């Protein structure tokens, strides 16, 4: 071969060997550009030039920053992902009597358990799911999100219906939740048949054996099933599984922190610090949006006009990419980060689970740590499309060279899987953005009710 031939061959080999390092990043950048192009003109970014970080909470918490769906092209995409029933999903309901009715019901359902009952329920469900792992294997290779989803399916079924979750219903719930979160992350398309099976089950259940807390009276029977499906068997299950996947992966990749917890010498405050630090580094929301219903006045700046789409960027506000992973900083009021809003802002539709989410994560994490040591070598990103590959090693016996080999294989598999997945996400994401825009679920809903108007913005979460 000629020298030029060798050179070209060498370049081709380097390009292919380096695929895991450059392709996923390039594809993500391309995806953002395609989303922005298909989504249309931009909204107001916070923090950003228009809304600096110092004003972030004030603007987010302003009473006029209260629109949720109507008037943003972005809403068509979220309604598409959260179907069926996005029009009664608490996160996307416009403020008003219907929202109040739904939010009150959610609060009542969640308030039905004392802290002791939450602790007992989450501990019991976690143990049951962990018992299903092969008892003879010393090392389990799992995806943390998949491991945790059945736990939260069981927990939230019991929270709603106050009865243990039958196995086939647990499968319906996890199929629904997994389908929604996979579509949101563009790693899969929507499968409406999977979601419809859960709706059919819930409708039947509500007709014959409704839950003890009365469901919103402003909703029809079908909408009541959608409400439970959206808030509890999608949002609750997905958010808790994602949060736990981040927490356990953070422990798996920060062994000194995990070892301190496993030693039994740390109190619950330290684990809470690890949870807070995890939510600071890997907030579950990328961007939460609001549509302004009136002008928002500001000191020394032009007011934000009514009808603006505000894009509140969590990772940017919390400085998620920066500091090293340091749970100890949460133990002291002087070192605790002030820019931290893992559950939203209190003044503007915060998360209804904020009072006990950390407690329930702690209980589930303690159950896992009691049985297993966690080890992983994969990339830990905020959107975690890999679902958190991890090794669970039984807390008996010694570490060996075999484990180091398995971790090396895990790392290699993760980086090559990332190459393929980023291409899949590009194609499926572009298709869903186009399809959501074509279907215009939110646009058409408001147009049918009163001739609503729309403004275009790019996709965010
Ligand atoms: C660690 C777990 C969780 C985190 C980090 C989290 C985070 C958040 C955040 C940041 C928001 C506000 C978004 C915005 O301003 O638009 C929110 C809203 C919400 N969350 Fe959670 N969440 C978690 C678990 C849950 C659970 C278990 C439920 C179960 C019921 C839940 C239900 C909701 C609902 C219904 C809303 C919308 C509130 C409204 O608009 O009235 N979340 N969550």
């Amino acid at each position: 071969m000629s020298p030029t031939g060798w050179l070209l061959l060498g370049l081709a080999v380097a390009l292919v060997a380096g695929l895991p390092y450059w392709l996923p990043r390039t594809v993500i950048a391309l995806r953002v550009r395609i989303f922005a192009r298909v989504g249309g003109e931009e909204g107001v970014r916070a923090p950003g030039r228009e809304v600096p970080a110092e004003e972030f909470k004030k603007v987010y918490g302003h009473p006029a920053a209260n629109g949720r769906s109507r008037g943003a092209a972005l809403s068509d995409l979220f309604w598409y992902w959260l179907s069926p029933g996005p029009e009664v999903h608490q996160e996307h309901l416009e403020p008003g009597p219907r929202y109040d009715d739904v939010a009150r019901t959610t609060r009542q359902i969640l308030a039905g358990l004392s802290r002791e009952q939450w602790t007992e329920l989450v501990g019991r469900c976690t143990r049951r799911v962990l018992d299903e792992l092969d008892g003879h294997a010393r090392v389990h290779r799992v995806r943390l999100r998949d491991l945790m989803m059945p736990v939260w399916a069981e927990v939230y079924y019991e929270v709603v219906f106050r009865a243990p979750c039958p196995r086939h219903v647990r499968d319906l719930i996890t199929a629904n939740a997994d389908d929604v979160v996979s579509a949101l992350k563009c790693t899969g398309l929507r499968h409406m048949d999977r979601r419809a099976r859960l709706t059919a089950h819930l409708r039947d259940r509500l007709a014959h054996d409704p839950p003890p807390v009365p469901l919103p009276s402003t909703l029809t029977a079908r909408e009541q099933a959608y409400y439970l499906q959206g808030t509890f068997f999608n949002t609750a299950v997905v958010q808790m599984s994602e949060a736990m996947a981040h927490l356990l992966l953070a422990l798996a990749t920060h062994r000194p922190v995990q070892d301190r917890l496993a030693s039994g010498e740390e109190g619950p405050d330290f684990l809470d610090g690890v949870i807070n630090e995890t939510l600071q580094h890997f907030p579950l929301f990328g961007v939460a949006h609001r549509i302004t219903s009136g002008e928002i006045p500001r000191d020394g700046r032009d007011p934000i006009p009514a009808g603006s789409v505000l894009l509140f960027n969590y990772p940017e506000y919390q400085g998620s990419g920066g500091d090293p992973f340091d749970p100890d900083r949460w133990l002291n009021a002087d070192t605790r980060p002030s820019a931290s809003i893992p559950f939203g802002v209190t003044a503007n539709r915060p998360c209804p689970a904020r009072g006990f989410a950390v407690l329930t994560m702690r209980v589930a994490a303690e159950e896992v740590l009691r049985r297993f040591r966690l080890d992983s070598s994969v990339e830990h990103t905020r959107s975690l499309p890999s679902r958190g590959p991890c090794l669970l090693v039984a807390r008996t016996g010694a570490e060996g060279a075999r484990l180091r080999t398995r971790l090396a294989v895990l790392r290699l598999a993760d980086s090559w899987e990332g190459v393929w997945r980023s291409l899949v996400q590009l194609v499926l994401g572009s298709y869903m953005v186009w399809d959501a825009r074509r279907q215009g679920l939110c646009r058409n809903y408001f147009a049918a009710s009163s001739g609503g108007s729309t403004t275009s913005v790019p996709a965010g979460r």
Side-chain angles (χ1 to χ4, degrees):
M1 203 187 295
S2 68
T4 319
W6 280 112
L7 186 67
L8 288 176
L9 184 67
L11 276 175
V13 169
L15 208 64
V16 172
L19 272 175
Y21 301 98
W22 64 266
L23 191 68
R25 283 182 186 82
T26 313
V27 170
I28 287 169
L30 190 62
R31 210 171 104 218
V32 169
R33 283 174 64 176
I34 290 176
F35 271 38
R37 213 182 161 80
V38 181
E41 100 196 27
E42 293 193 349
V44 179
R45 289 166 192 278
R49 202 166 38 86
E50 297 271 328
V51 182
E54 315 84 78
E55 286 189 24
F56 182 94
K57 270 193 184 165
K58 204 167 152 202
V59 172
Y60 202 164
H62 193 277
N66 63 349
R68 280 305 278 134
S69 291
R70 186 179 190 159
L74 185 56
S75 307
D76 280 334
L77 190 56
F78 282 113
W79 282 40
Y80 179 87
W81 277 326
L82 296 176
S83 287
E87 66 281 2
V88 294
H89 196 299
Q90 185 174 332
E91 274 186 52
H92 290 275
L93 269 170
E94 294 299 334
R98 243 184 170 204
Y99 168 78
D100 295 341
D101 198 13
V102 162
R104 184 173 41 247
T105 308
T106 305
R107 279 196 303 274
Q108 279 172 357
I109 293 176
L110 296 175
L113 276 76
S114 64
R115 289 180 81 78
E116 290 70 30
Q117 286 170 316
W118 276 110
T119 304
E120 187 281 326
L121 174 62
V122 174
R124 171 162 48 83
C125 295
T126 311
R127 285 193 295 277
R128 184 166 39 242
V129 169
L130 294 180
D131 282 346
E132 290 169 12
L133 291 168
D134 175 7
H136 299 296
R138 208 175 98 65
V139 182
H140 303 270
R141 185 172 165 168
V142 297
R143 305 242 174 194
L144 294 167
R145 192 178 90 199
D146 302 349
L147 178 76
M148 282 293 124
M149 218 173 240
V151 173
W152 302 106
E154 291 199 4
V155 166
Y156 279 96
Y157 181 93
E158 205 165 320
V159 168
V160 171
F161 290 109
R162 299 296 152 79
C165 181
R167 178 58 198 253
H168 73 281
V169 182
R170 181 178 107 179
D171 293 343
L172 290 178
I173 296 172
T174 49
N176 173 76
D178 184 63
D179 200 63
V180 172
V181 66
S182 301
L184 266 161
K185 293 182 190 298
C186 304
T187 53
L189 291 176
R190 301 187 312 171
H191 297 86
M192 296 309 288
D193 53 332
R194 288 180 202 164
R195 304 181 189 193
R197 280 198 279 278
L198 178 60
T199 315
H201 168 81
L202 290 172
R203 290 206 64 179
D204 186 56
R205 170 86 207 225
L206 294 187
H208 298 103
D209 191 7
V213 171
L215 295 178
S217 57
T218 49
L219 305 185
T220 64
R222 190 155 61 110
E223 288 172 336
Q224 289 181 345
Y226 286 155
Y227 156 68
L228 286 184
Q229 180 158 357
T231 298
F232 292 94
F233 304 128
N234 159 18
T235 296
V237 173
V238 165
Q239 296 291 66
M240 293 309 297
S241 310
E242 287 271 300
M244 282 304 298
H246 280 300
L247 173 63
L248 297 177
L249 193 56
L251 290 173
T253 49
H254 296 88
R255 277 293 298 278
V257 173
Q258 191 187 153
D259 291 344
R260 273 173 70 183
L261 286 171
S263 71
E265 281 162 23
E266 300 288 350
D269 284 357
F270 183 63
L271 181 47
D272 285 358
V274 180
I275 295 170
N276 289 327
E277 185 70 350
T278 302
L279 295 174
Q280 188 73 5
H281 277 258
F282 307 103
L284 296 192
F285 273 70
V287 175
H289 72 282
R290 292 285 188 279
I291 304 112
T292 53
S293 57
E295 212 175 68
I296 300 187
R298 271 117 42 87
D299 299 336
R301 285 175 184 273
D302 288 343
I304 299 172
S308 305
V309 179
L310 296 170
L311 303 170
F312 297 103
N313 188 318
Y314 278 58
E316 218 166 296
Y317 178 65
Q318 295 196 158
S320 299
D323 308 324
F325 194 83
D326 177 15
D328 287 303
R329 64 178 169 153
W330 296 88
L331 302 179
N332 185 331
D334 297 336
T335 51
R336 209 170 289 158
S338 56
S340 176
I341 48 161
F343 298 100
V345 292
T346 319
N348 190 347
R349 305 174 64 143
C351 179
R354 65 196 181 287
F356 55 84
V358 170
L359 163 76
T360 54
M361 288 173 71
R362 191 206 304 153
V363 174
E366 281 168 350
E367 291 294 343
V368 175
L369 287 174
R370 196 164 293 139
R371 290 193 200 191
F372 301 108
R373 208 192 59 229
L374 303 155
D375 270 305
S376 187
S377 48
V378 305
E379 195 185 9
H380 192 172
T381 59
R382 193 195 68 79
S383 82
L384 202 61
S386 64
R387 315 195 308 279
C390 186
L391 300 180
L392 303 185
V393 186
R395 286 205 175 274
T396 48
E399 282 183 35
R402 233 176 96 84
L403 190 68
R404 282 193 289 280
T405 314
R406 288 187 78 152
L407 283 171
V409 171
L410 198 68
R411 173 87 197 111
L412 198 67
D414 181 60
S415 40
W416 282 97
E417 197 183 284
V419 170
W420 167 244
R421 193 178 44 234
S422 59
L423 292 171
V424 169
Q425 285 176 293
L426 178 67
V427 174
L428 301 189
S430 306
Y431 168 77
M432 286 190 283
V433 169
W434 170 81
D435 197 29
R437 202 178 169 146
R438 184 182 65 82
Q439 292 195 25
L441 294 175
C442 177
R443 188 177 67 231
N444 293 335
Y445 176 83
F446 285 109
S449 57
S450 62
S453 65
T454 56
T455 312
S456 291
V457 288
R461 184 147 104 172

